Amino acid sequence: MVGPLAALSRNEMNELVERAGGGAASSVSAKTTLVVAGDKAGSKRAKAEGLGIRIVTPEEFTTLVAPLLEGR
């Protein structure tokens, strides 16, 4: 991750996603609504593209969840 998210552990990232109303998963399926993928993303990005799932960069994700980081 980038910016303020770079210091978060995987568990803290999962908690952040849940506070935003989502659920963190280790795999991509038809139920997935958003995938955060960097430049070197592999099979999960390809699967998300094939399923038509929205893909955002780590920078875009940081912007989406920034309000949840205030007062942390």
Side-chain angles (χ1 to χ4, degrees):
M1 282 297 148
V2 295
L5 300 183
L8 298 181
S9 69
R10 181 175 296 270
N11 285 340
E12 290 171 322
M13 285 297 298
N14 289 344
E15 290 171 10
L16 180 62
V17 168
E18 289 172 8
R19 279 196 319 221
S26 60
S27 62
V28 176
S29 73
K31 293 181 179 181
T32 304
T33 57
L34 178 77
V35 171
V36 181
D39 293 335
K40 298 183 187 224
S43 61
K44 290 180 184 175
R45 180 186 186 106
K47 186 169 184 178
E49 288 172 345
L51 292 170
I53 295 168
R54 180 180 174 197
I55 300 169
V56 298
T57 65
E59 294 82 8
E60 291 170 317
F61 181 72
T62 300
T63 300
L64 288 171
V65 298
L68 299 172
L69 295 172
E70 296 173 10
R72 220 182 150 252

